[in-house]
Amino acid sequence: MNLPLNIPALSPASPQFINLYTDAVPGQAPGPVQELSEGLMAAAASVSPKYFYNALGSKLFEAITALSEYYPTRTEAGIFGASHAQIAQTLADRGIHHPCLIDLGAGNCAKAMALIPHLQPRQYVPVDISADFLKEAAEQVQSRFPALDIVGLGMDFSAGLALPDEVQAHDRVFFYPGSSLGNFHPEQALQFLQHMADPAQGRARGLLLGIDLVKDTATLEAAYDDSLGVTAAFNKNLLLNVNQLLQSDFDVRQWRHVALFNAAQSRIEMHLEAMHALSVRWPGHTRRFEAGERIHTESSYKYTLGGMTALLKQAGFRQVRHWSDPQNWFAVFWAAV
C-alpha cells in the first residue's frame, strides 16, 4: 500500500543517507575506542549493548525475533495490528496528520513499514548505529513507498538527539519500539525521554513507545537464552565487533553466554563469562580475566504500566495512554508533549 498521491515527497533524491556515527567529537560523548576501553578496564567490565549491532549482529537479532521463546516482537506486532486505527486517530486528535516519523533503532525497518500506511508520514527518518544494514533497509522502504521522503541516519542516538537540518522540525513523532528503552538505566531513560521532549533537542510532538512488562522469571529468561543458541551467538558476536573497533584479540571460543533476571533491579542481564583465566590485549592496554569473571553486555529493564506512565510524565509528556495484549506481557504507549 503506497502513500496517497496528495502527500508530496519533500526530496526527489530519497532515500537520503547521512552517517553521523564517527569517533569522538570534542565536547560530546566519548567515541567507540575510548568508551570500549574504559568499559573493559573497569573493575566490573562492561560493554554497551549498542555494540551488538554490526551487520552480522543486526541479522542475528532479526533471527532472534523469529524464535518461539522471544515473545516481545510478535506480542508487540499483535498490539499494533489490533490498535493501529486507534493509534492513528489518537495522533489525528492531536492535529498530527502527516508526521515526521523518527524510527529509533530502526534495524530492518519492518515495524515502521507496518505503521506507515496508517500514520501516512510526510517524512520517514530511520536511525540506527549499524549504518550499512540501515542503508539496505531504507532502500527497501523506498521501494515500497516511492512517494515517501526518507532520510536515513547512521547515528548513536544514545549520545544525543540533535538531528540534522534535513529532518523536518515540525510534527515529529518518535517511534521507539521493541522495549529498547529498557537498555537504559531508569535515570538514563528519564534523561533520554527529556531530551526527546525538549524543544531545543528532539522537538517531539509525541512518542510511540514499546515496553516489555514485568512477568514470570522463566518466561523472561527463556527469551534471552533460547534453546537454539541464537542469542548466545548474538552476545558473542559483540566481541567480534569490539575486536574490529578496538583492535583487540578476544577469542569467542573462550566465553560463554549468561542470561538471568535480576528481580531486585527488575531487569534481565546478559553477560559473557570467561571459561578459564585469560588475557585480552588491545593497543595500550591488557586486561586479565579470571575464570568465571564476566563482562556485562546488556541490561533490559522491565516496567509496570504505572511505572512507565509515571516516567513519561516526569519527562515532560502530558497525554499518556497505552495498549496492551490480553496477558499484559507488553505495552505500546502513546505520549504527547
Side-chain angles (χ1 to χ4, degrees), residues 140-305:
Q140 293 176 7
V141 179
Q142 191 73 82
S143 177
R144 184 173 172 188
F145 304 102
L148 180 59
D149 181 46
I150 299 176
V151 179
L153 299 179
M155 179 180 173
D156 176 11
F157 57 84
S158 68
L161 282 171
L163 302 177
D165 292 340
E166 288 83 356
V167 179
Q168 73 177 49
H170 62 282
D171 283 355
R172 288 182 175 179
V173 171
F174 284 85
F175 179 48
Y176 200 20
S179 202
S180 296
L181 186 70
N183 291 148
F184 292 98
H185 183 278
E187 291 179 2
Q188 295 172 324
L190 173 61
Q191 185 179 52
F192 183 71
L193 292 169
Q194 287 172 330
H195 288 168
M196 194 180 294
D198 186 344
Q201 282 212 41
R203 304 181 187 178
R205 290 274 326 264
L207 165 66
L208 275 173
L209 176 69
I211 286 294
D212 197 11
L213 302 177
V214 175
K215 60 187 66 63
D216 67 281
T217 298
T219 299
L220 285 168
E221 291 186 344
Y224 292 82
D225 193 11
D226 62 278
S227 56
L228 283 176
V230 182
T231 310
F234 174 69
N235 199 8
K236 291 179 182 181
N237 178 67
L238 174 143
L239 296 179
L240 299 182
N241 194 25
V242 171
N243 280 348
Q244 183 175 7
L245 293 168
L246 198 58
Q247 300 178 48
S248 53
D249 61 356
F250 279 101
D251 183 342
V252 297
R253 296 169 296 184
Q254 298 177 328
W255 299 84
R256 76 178 187 96
H257 167 68
V258 176
L260 56 92
F261 182 58
N262 182 333
Q265 297 286 331
S266 192
R267 71 187 189 190
I268 281 281
E269 295 177 6
M270 290 214 309
H271 302 261
L272 288 165
E273 184 177 278
M275 297 171 67
H276 54 78
L278 57 91
S279 293
V280 179
R281 298 168 181 83
W282 62 95
H285 296 281
T286 299
R287 170 68 192 254
R288 180 169 176 80
F289 292 91
E290 301 301 330
E293 193 171 356
R294 294 174 176 177
I295 301 172
H296 189 159
T297 57
E298 181 178 30
S299 291
S300 183
Y301 286 85
K302 309 304 174 184
Y303 287 88
T304 63
L305 293 171

